[in-house]
């Protein structure tokens, strides 16, 4: 892929589904005429509807993500941006809309693959009109993916009216205030029948892979069933990731929580033995805010640690009587578009994430210190 081209946005004088469709038709007609007169060959494609709910301050960011996503999975993107209401003049705003195309040369010698983006801006008091316009603009016979691109807990009438048509709803619980509150909001949506994709979970993929690979060797696998202590170090924004990672470990190993200690939570293994799970706050600038995971038994120490440079993970297995085993794996850029593509590999629900989420919420409750009577 040599690059992504985004056409200039074309503003609409009238904001309704019919006017938007007419402007899109003109956009593609102009592109076809340019192609016939010697311009770049292009192919319009739409694998899914991509509805982005956000605020007006993040339009540039979501447009950049949408352009990169088009190169990976072409779509019809509908950006519904609500004004923040911070400026009193916002209430006097009219609805605005514009259309543009994103094109990428995916394979040299072939036409550019293009998707389209429709952006609608509405003041807070006009948000009620957004669902009807969005529903009218959806391409038929392809999935509907909604991206909640706010840094706040999902909710409100716009999402309530649209979530019933969504095949997937993508969130980022790590960027919401309050780890337990964010995770509980995701759990509530799942309980309502929504298939959730969580970018915080996607960032944990490489960590989960490296932890699992620590136990590939038979000598290490034997240690897995006798784990006695787990330590997870994370930064100030990493509580969500740490809880999800701990929830994943507990569900995969069939552990159950039994009691709380001052330093963490005690879980019971299937053989009746106990595992102490502890979290520690450290300084880190990593996007996922995770620093290290340490798994201890009486005879081994297995670790996955982020390097000082932050661009790779180091895994180390030290087992009594055996030579240490070490390896390093490069950390891919945590690009939002790539994370969304990974989420789209699942057509509907992610049972492993949902199980880890339930366990993470149970852990969060155990970690809360009871209020004094």
């Amino acid at each position: 892929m040599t690059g992504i081209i985004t056409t200039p946005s074309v503003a609409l004088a009238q904001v309704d589904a019919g006017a938007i469709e007419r402007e899109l038709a003109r956009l593609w007609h102009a592109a076809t005429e340019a192609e016939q007169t010697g311009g770049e060959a292009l192919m319009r494609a739409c694998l899914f509807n991509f509805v982005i709910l956000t605020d007006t301050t993040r339009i540039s960011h979501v447009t950049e993500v949408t352009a990169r996503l088009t190169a990976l999975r072409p779509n019809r993107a509908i950006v519904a941006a609500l004004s923040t209401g911070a400026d009193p003049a916002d209430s006097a705003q009219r609805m605005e809309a514009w259309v543009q195309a994103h094109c990428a040369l995916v394979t040299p010698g072939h036409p550019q693959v293009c998707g389209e983006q429709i952006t609608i801006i509405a003041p807070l008091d006009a948000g009620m009109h957004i669902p009807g316009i969005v529903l009218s603009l959806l391409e038929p016979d392809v999935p509907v993916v909604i991206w909640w691109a706010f840094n706040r807990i999902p909710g409100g009438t716009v999402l309530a009216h649209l979530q019933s048509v969504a095949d997937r709803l993508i969130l980022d619980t790590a960027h919401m205030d309050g780890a337990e509150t964010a995770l509980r909001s995701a759990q509530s949506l799942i309980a309502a029948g929504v298939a959730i994709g969580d970018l915080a979970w996607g960032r944990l993929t490489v960590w989960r892979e490296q932890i699992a690979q620590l136990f590939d060797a038979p000598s290490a696998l034997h240690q897995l069933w006798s784990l006695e202590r787990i330590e997870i170090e994370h930064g100030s924004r990493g509580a969500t990731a740490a809880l999800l990672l701990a929830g994943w470990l507990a569900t995969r190993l069939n552990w159950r929580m039994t009691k709380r200690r001052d330093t963490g939570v005690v879980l019971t293994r299937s053989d009746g033995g106990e595992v102490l799970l502890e979290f520690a706050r450290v300084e880190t600038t990593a996007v996922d805010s995770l620093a290290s995971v340490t798994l201890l038994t009486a005879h081994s120490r297995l670790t996955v640690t982020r390097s000082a440079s932050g661009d790779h993970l180091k895994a180390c297995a030290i087992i009594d009587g055996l030579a240490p085993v070490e390896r390093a794996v490069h950390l891919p850029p945590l690009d939002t578009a790539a994370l969304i593509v990974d989420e789209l590999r699942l057509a509907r629900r992610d049972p492993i994430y949902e199980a880890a989420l339930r366990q993470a919420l149970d852990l969060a409750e155990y970690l809360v210190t009871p209020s004094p009577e």
Side-chain angles (χ1 to χ4, degrees):
M1 187 174 67
T2 59
I4 301 167
I5 298 172
T6 296
T7 65
S9 56
V10 179
L12 278 73
Q14 183 179 352
V15 182
D16 60 59
I20 291 170
E21 291 287 7
R22 287 192 295 273
E23 195 57 54
L24 283 171
R26 280 194 287 270
L27 174 71
W28 292 117
H29 179 71
T32 301
E33 286 187 336
E35 178 185 348
Q36 291 172 347
T37 57
E40 291 283 350
L42 58 85
M43 177 180 68
R44 179 186 176 191
C46 178
L47 299 181
F48 64 99
N49 293 287
F50 190 40
V51 179
I52 303 128
L53 304 180
T54 189
D55 61 49
T56 52
T57 64
R58 292 172 58 81
I59 291 176
S60 294
H61 170 68
V62 300
T63 297
E64 290 173 5
V65 172
T66 300
R68 293 196 298 272
L69 184 61
T70 297
L72 302 168
R73 294 287 188 277
N75 59 85
R76 168 176 277 197
I78 306 172
V79 179
L82 299 176
S83 59
T84 60
D87 186 342
D90 286 346
S91 60
Q93 281 183 338
R94 297 176 54 196
M95 291 183 67
E96 300 176 55
W98 61 83
V99 298
Q100 58 197 134
H102 304 295
C103 298
L105 184 61
V106 178
T107 306
H110 290 75
Q112 295 182 90
V113 176
C114 300
E116 57 203 13
Q117 177 177 325
I118 304 156
T119 304
I120 305 165
I121 296 179
L124 285 175
D125 58 1
M128 66 185 75
H129 301 297
I130 290 289
I133 297 174
V134 170
L135 291 171
S136 300
L137 292 170
L138 296 176
E139 287 277 16
D141 304 320
V142 292
V144 177
V145 177
I146 297 177
W147 176 23
W148 179 263
F150 290 99
N151 288 340
R152 65 172 187 256
I153 302 302
T157 56
V158 175
L159 180 60
H161 281 93
L162 292 176
Q163 68 187 45
S164 62
V165 303
D167 293 277
R168 298 275 285 171
L169 171 61
I170 296 175
L171 313 170
D172 192 347
T173 55
H175 286 176
M176 300 174 189
D177 290 332
E180 184 178 357
T181 303
L183 294 175
R184 200 164 295 285
S185 69
Q187 177 60 39
S188 297
L189 288 163
I190 291 169
V194 182
I196 295 295
D198 189 347
L199 301 186
W201 177 251
R203 296 187 193 97
L204 292 175
T205 298
V206 66
W207 285 88
R208 293 186 289 123
E209 289 173 346
Q210 292 309 302
I211 292 170
Q213 289 174 22
L214 282 172
F215 299 96
D216 280 349
S219 57
L221 182 60
H222 179 72
Q223 303 296 317
L224 179 62
W225 311 112
S226 57
L227 286 170
E228 296 177 351
R229 186 176 174 186
I230 297 175
E231 302 170 353
I232 300 178
E233 293 184 325
H234 63 85
S236 59
R237 300 289 295 180
T240 301
L243 284 169
L244 285 172
L245 189 60
W248 169 72
L249 280 166
T251 56
R252 295 300 92 192
L253 296 171
N254 196 28
W255 294 341
R256 56 184 177 84
M257 285 170 292
T258 53
K259 55 189 172 184
R260 183 185 185 280
R261 286 189 184 169
D262 290 341
T263 56
V265 176
V266 175
L267 302 102
T268 301
R269 301 192 308 253
S270 55
D271 65 355
E274 291 187 342
V275 182
L276 175 61
L277 172 63
E278 298 178 297
F279 300 94
R281 184 76 63 85
V282 297
E283 291 296 325
T284 176
T285 58
V287 176
D288 62 15
S289 212
L290 282 179
S292 70
V293 180
T294 303
L295 305 101
L296 301 163
T297 74
H299 305 288
S300 65
R301 179 183 182 89
L302 302 103
T303 61
V304 178
T305 307
R306 185 185 298 277
S307 65
S309 62
D311 61 356
H312 65 276
L313 294 181
K314 296 187 291 185
C316 180
I318 301 174
I319 302 173
D320 290 354
L322 299 174
V325 176
E326 295 182 302
R327 68 172 178 274
V329 60
H330 176 69
L331 277 172
L334 295 175
D335 176 80
T336 301
L339 289 171
I340 290 172
V341 168
D342 285 343
E343 287 298 331
L344 297 183
R345 299 186 198 283
L346 287 172
R348 290 290 295 169
R349 305 176 81 117
D350 183 346
I352 297 177
Y353 166 71
E354 292 182 8
L357 174 61
R358 289 192 296 271
Q359 190 73 298
L361 285 169
D362 288 343
L363 282 168
E365 289 185 2
Y366 266 72
L367 288 167
V368 173
T369 304
S371 302
E373 296 183 359

